[in-house]
Amino acid sequence: MSKSLHTVAGLRALGAVTRERLTPLLDDPSSGVVRAATRALRPDAAGCSPERLRDRAAADRPRPVRVAARRLLRAAGHRGPTG
């Protein structure tokens, strides 16, 4: 398990999840870290920038990043990458 994955799990356990800390982890090369960050951010997805999430959902991004962005867009009440 990577250090970043442990960090996300620890922040969730402590109730110390913040968008500022976790949003950069959506671009982590480890798909496990991206999934953990997505799970932690979902309750507060409405606070994430829809424009930044749409950028992450672009076809040129790695699959875990695209999936995470789409999940957060849906959790925030946005229809998807285009609206």
Side-chain angles (χ1 to χ4, degrees), residues 28-53:
D28 196 274
S30 166
S31 61
V33 172
V34 174
R35 283 192 303 270
T38 303
R39 278 193 303 273
L41 287 167
R42 282 179 77 180
D44 195 28
C48 294
S49 164
E51 294 80 19
R52 297 285 313 262
L53 292 175

Side-chain angles (χ1 to χ4, degrees), residues 50 53-55 57-58 66 69-70 73-74 78-83:
L53 292 175
R54 287 186 185 103
D55 288 345
R66 292 192 316 263
R70 290 181 187 129
L73 283 165
R74 282 193 306 271
H78 301 287
R79 292 192 311 203
T82 59

